[in-house]
Amino acid sequence: MSLLPIPSSIETAPAASQMMLQTVQEQLGVVPNLFRLVSTSPAALEGYLGLSGALSKGNLPARTRERIALAVAEVNQCNYCLSVHSYLAKNMSKLEDAEIIANRRGYSLDNKADAAVKFAVQVTLQRGHLNEAALKTVKDAGYDDAQIIEIVLHVALNTWTNYINSVAKTDIDFPLVPAL
């Protein structure tokens, strides 16, 4: 059971969050527990949705974004996010099981994506304190400065969701995928 209360429905969420949750419902067909939990703070929900929406318009392919989410969730041992992103990776991004496992282990079977995933893992583990060689490696793989900034921002956003779900012990509403 979640340690922080999760509104049971859109209607029981704070009034300022209800329209945002309705948008989530329209986009996803459901309102996952993470969104209902975060809706307790309308400002936090607005910030999360705004940053997620902005990053979805960025220069990183959706499949690479999903790979990063899996890698960061594994590093941070967040079962909620591992469950969500494993589901999304398989069903939305159409990643193969072997790729999902590779991402969770901190790499990719795709050469270019491999550099992004490894860089994201380094950023997560080292809390951004990387040496120039790490930056050179991701640049040499073909990522430009804007994409590198987006990778770092994806790490930050995924770390935030990992942390909120770990702190709250959010009830997992996707098929369970425990950390390795």
Side-chain angles (χ1 to χ4, degrees):
M1 181 173 199
S2 179
L3 297 179
L4 293 175
I6 298 175
S8 59
S9 67
I10 292 172
E11 296 74 29
T12 60
S17 292
Q18 290 179 9
M19 185 174 290
M20 291 181 281
L21 291 177
Q22 287 171 349
T23 300
V24 169
Q25 171 79 40
E26 291 166 9
Q27 292 174 343
L28 301 179
V30 296
V31 182
N33 284 341
L34 167 63
F35 293 93
R36 289 186 287 118
L37 170 66
V38 174
S39 77
T40 302
S41 167
L45 182 61
E46 182 179 358
Y48 174 54
L49 293 173
L51 184 53
S52 295
L55 285 173
S56 73
K57 298 173 191 169
N59 294 316
L60 291 176
R63 296 177 84 182
T64 299
R65 297 191 310 259
E66 203 57 56
R67 289 173 169 117
I68 291 167
L70 286 163
V72 172
E74 190 67 52
V75 168
N76 289 324
Q77 301 284 288
C78 179
N79 291 339
Y80 185 92
C81 292
L82 282 168
S83 300
V84 171
H85 290 290
S86 293
Y87 178 86
L88 294 174
K90 186 171 186 88
N91 296 293
M92 303 297 283
S93 295
K94 304 298 184 196
L95 295 177
E96 298 292 328
D97 290 341
E99 177 66 12
I100 292 169
I101 291 296
N103 301 155
R104 292 180 61 197
R105 290 185 174 150
Y107 66 96
S108 174
L109 302 174
D110 176 273
N111 286 337
K112 184 169 182 181
D114 186 52
V117 171
K118 286 178 177 173
F119 182 75
V121 167
Q122 288 177 309
V123 170
T124 307
L125 289 171
Q126 297 175 29
R127 297 179 304 184
H129 299 280
L130 304 182
N131 58 32
E132 289 179 32
L135 199 56
K136 181 179 181 337
T137 299
V138 75
K139 282 186 173 195
D140 287 349
Y143 290 95
D144 64 26
D145 294 343
Q147 290 171 313
I148 291 168
I149 289 168
E150 289 177 26
I151 292 169
V152 174
L153 205 47
H154 278 287
V155 168
L157 181 61
N158 281 288
T159 297
W160 180 82
T161 61
N162 296 167
Y163 285 9
I164 193 65
N165 285 306
S166 294
V167 166
K169 298 202 182 329
T170 307
D171 295 328
I172 299 172
D173 47 354
F174 288 81
L176 176 64
V177 176
L180 297 173

